[in-house]
Amino acid sequence: MTTAGLRERKKQRTRCALIDSAFALFQRKGFDATTVDEIAEAVDVSPRTFFRYFTSKEEVALSLLDDQLAALLAMVEQRPAEESVLTALRNAGMEVLRACEAGEDGFDPLRFESMQHLMSSNPALAAHAMEQGAARLTDLARVIGTRMGVDHLVDPRPYLVASIALCSIQTVVNAWRETEPDARSSDLLDRAFQLLGEGIDYPSAARPITG
């Protein structure tokens, strides 16, 4: 093992320890009451060291989300070429969430459940999650453009689809979870894509006024 390899393994252990300690504190004290200093102290490192790994406690809480988004991009690219854009996104998204729920592909189901709870109970954290998803917008638009055979920098459709997938669907799934707290995230995502695939140009309920 080279010195560089040992250094990277140590950094990874420190990062994982910070995440573990942060979630333990979130569960015991609550997200808002937990401070960066407390997270760092639990791992016996300085706050300065903490900020070498994360910019904020929000980033720690959503560390799994970034892994999910990276997995989503990779899986969309791997979907069969004949699948339509929505079908590829739906299947890739379902695969990622089911892996999180089942503890497969390196995902921790307890950590996933804890993150979902944190987002549903903390509007500011949910907003931060939306910003984190939006940061991947260009990457997903590029992948969608490739599948469509268009340039995402010229054709606006890939950005539209990417925005719906990363922002709108996440918003509606979070809203549904408030009234269906026991529903699996993968089932809610499946329902959202099914409704989207059926079209959203719903007729007005207003009746014409007759004289």
Side-chain angles (χ1 to χ4, degrees):
M1 179 68 68
T2 64
T3 302
L6 290 171
R7 189 182 302 115
E8 286 303 314
R9 288 180 60 183
K10 182 178 179 180
K11 288 174 62 177
Q12 184 61 31
R13 285 197 299 268
T14 301
R15 184 179 188 275
C16 290
L18 287 168
I19 295 173
D20 289 341
S21 297
F23 272 88
L25 287 165
F26 295 155
Q27 291 177 344
R28 187 169 74 249
K29 299 185 58 178
F31 178 79
D32 291 330
T34 299
T35 67
V36 167
D37 287 353
E38 290 172 327
I39 297 172
E41 183 180 358
V43 185
D44 197 24
V45 299
S46 67
R48 182 177 180 180
T49 298
F50 172 92
F51 287 115
R52 292 175 185 168
Y53 294 87
F54 302 101
T55 60
S56 64
K57 65 178 182 179
E58 286 80 7
E59 186 176 346
V60 180
L62 298 174
S63 55
L64 176 60
L65 179 60
D66 198 54
D67 293 337
Q68 290 176 313
L69 293 171
L72 175 66
L73 286 169
M75 289 183 181
V76 171
E77 289 184 306
Q78 294 168 11
R79 296 302 307 172
E82 63 272 14
E83 286 186 351
S84 67
V85 169
L86 281 184
T87 298
L89 285 170
R90 181 180 184 176
N91 290 336
M94 292 281 289
E95 189 173 349
V96 172
L97 288 184
R98 285 174 176 167
C100 290
E101 293 165 347
E104 299 172 347
D105 299 332
F107 288 111
D108 183 337
L110 295 179
R111 182 64 45 77
F112 174 65
E113 182 179 351
S114 181
M115 185 184 72
Q116 296 298 319
H117 174 72
L118 285 173
M119 287 195 296
S120 64
S121 60
N122 191 296
L125 189 61
H128 195 84
M130 294 290 292
E131 294 176 2
Q132 195 163 330
R136 293 278 191 169
L137 186 60
T138 298
D139 293 333
L140 185 56
R142 173 185 54 77
V143 172
I144 291 171
T146 299
R147 178 167 292 270
M148 294 174 61
V150 300
D151 184 349
H152 70 286
L153 297 177
V154 177
D155 192 316
R157 293 176 297 170
Y159 269 101
L160 174 62
V161 177
S163 297
I164 291 172
L166 291 178
C167 302
S168 301
I169 286 185
Q170 183 177 338
T171 299
V172 73
V173 166
N174 289 340
W176 284 341
R177 189 177 289 111
E178 292 184 6
T179 56
E180 302 177 54
D182 296 328
R184 296 196 312 173
S185 295
S186 57
D187 292 337
L188 295 178
L189 181 75
D190 189 38
R191 186 195 309 172
F193 269 108
Q194 180 179 349
L195 291 174
L196 186 61
E198 293 171 356
I200 59 174
D201 191 16
Y202 304 117
S204 172
R207 296 180 179 178
I209 299 175
T210 58

